[in-house]
Amino acid sequence: MYAVESLLNNKITKTENPTSMGALFLDAGKISITDAEAIIALQKQKGLRFGEAAKALGLINDEDIQKALSQQFNFPFLVSSDHDFSQELVAAYHPFSPQVEALRAVRGQLMLRWFIDAHKALAIVSPSRGDGRSHVAANLAIVFSQLGERTLLIDADLRQSRQQGLFKIQGAYGLSDILADRADLTAVTRIPAFRDLSVLPAGTLPPNPVELISRGLKTCLKQLQPQFDVILIDTPSAAQGIDAQIITAQCGGALLVARQHQTRLNDLQALKDLLHDSGNPCLGAVLNGF
């Protein structure tokens, strides 16, 4: 469904109501003024909404309508023709799919149980490589930003980072460079295509990831927390070292990720017990079937 357009004098120009669907199509180069007049004529004749009439004339498609709606309602997402980001960002490319609705349910639980009071940071952890931890972290960050939360995604996997590739971020500096005093917080990258989303990539992969994380992450988080409502931290798998444990301790809690038909239940339980024994709560587990 989409909203009925209010058309001044039955005409559309680029200066009238810049958030109207017709104006958005004009600005995007999807239609011309002549096309707009034909759409209006059909709209009046058939009693259609503007988008329906434009689609009936073959001038736009469903993706064009959805993209215009996302701008009107300040709910940015991507269409399949956009190639600025990885297609793994399903929360951006398919925001109304059942998979993304499940992520919104996770978001709701976290808003009620964790991101209240002083809690702002949460580690995303998993037992093994290939569990989908980075995928879940990236898409969960997007759905938080769609809610209007000032969201920061930190790639703290200083062994085999993925977030820079998923968001196709250009530039060399990131978390490791900040922790090594080679860069400052300007390494945080605002992602304009999404509402209120920023990403701090891993940066240069260092020879001493555990030492860097241990001595500097907590200070870095303290500097970043006043600027954000939600900070999600992607971590290396537990099988690769103690990085995830250290990161969880410094942000206070973790969300477990498991891949359906792949992650061993014993490994998941062992990681949960390990974090619990060190005094850091596991808020729950996401079963990743993507």
Side-chain angles (χ1 to χ4, degrees), residues 120-122 152 154 175 178-179 185 200 216-228 231-233 246-252:
K120 285 196 173 183
L122 182 68
L152 173 63
I154 298 178
L175 177 63
I178 293 173
L179 299 182
L185 295 183
L200 177 56
L217 180 61
K218 193 168 185 177
T219 299
C220 182
L221 288 175
K222 284 183 178 179
Q223 294 173 329
L224 289 166
Q225 283 176 349
Q227 304 174 43
F228 297 97
I231 300 175
L232 300 178
I233 306 177
I246 296 170
I247 294 166
T248 299
Q250 296 198 18
C251 63

Side-chain angles (χ1 to χ4, degrees), residues 161-223:
S161 60
R162 290 207 63 220
Q163 300 302 339
Q164 184 166 336
L166 291 176
F167 287 92
K168 298 187 179 179
I169 296 172
Q170 303 298 318
Y173 292 124
L175 177 63
S176 66
D177 304 287
I178 293 173
L179 299 182
D181 295 322
R182 300 176 66 243
D184 57 25
L185 295 183
T186 58
V188 174
T189 300
R190 179 78 172 83
I191 311 295
F194 302 101
R195 180 183 179 187
D196 297 318
L197 177 63
S198 298
V199 176
L200 177 56
T204 308
L205 296 187
N208 57 337
V210 172
E211 288 76 14
L212 279 180
I213 291 290
S214 298
R215 74 182 182 218
L217 180 61
K218 193 168 185 177
T219 299
C220 182
L221 288 175
K222 284 183 178 179
Q223 294 173 329

Side-chain angles (χ1 to χ4, degrees), residues 5 16-24 27 68 71-73:
E5 296 303 311
E16 291 170 6
N17 189 4
T19 61
S20 74
M21 189 167 287
L24 292 171
D27 291 342
Q71 293 173 272
Q72 287 181 321
F73 287 89

Side-chain angles (χ1 to χ4, degrees), residues 133-162:
R133 178 190 60 260
S134 297
H135 172 92
V136 169
N139 284 285
L140 195 55
I142 291 171
V143 298
F144 269 109
S145 74
Q146 289 170 341
L147 188 62
E149 298 293 309
R150 297 173 301 162
T151 306
L152 173 63
L153 173 62
I154 298 178
D155 191 344
D157 186 347
L158 304 187
R159 298 174 184 268
Q160 293 172 309
S161 60
R162 290 207 63 220

Side-chain angles (χ1 to χ4, degrees), residues 84-164:
D84 292 336
F85 304 94
S86 167
Q87 293 289 324
E88 286 190 56
L89 301 181
V90 292
Y93 285 102
H94 307 287
F96 312 114
S97 64
Q99 296 94 329
V100 180
E101 287 299 332
L103 282 173
R104 290 194 183 98
V106 174
R107 177 189 70 189
Q109 290 291 323
L110 292 175
M111 290 296 293
L112 291 171
R113 299 173 184 273
W114 186 252
F115 290 112
I116 52 177
D117 301 325
H119 291 143
K120 285 196 173 183
L122 182 68
I124 311 299
V125 304
S126 74
S128 307
R129 287 191 61 201
D131 289 327
R133 178 190 60 260
S134 297
H135 172 92
V136 169
N139 284 285
L140 195 55
I142 291 171
V143 298
F144 269 109
S145 74
Q146 289 170 341
L147 188 62
E149 298 293 309
R150 297 173 301 162
T151 306
L152 173 63
L153 173 62
I154 298 178
D155 191 344
D157 186 347
L158 304 187
R159 298 174 184 268
Q160 293 172 309
S161 60
R162 290 207 63 220
Q163 300 302 339
Q164 184 166 336

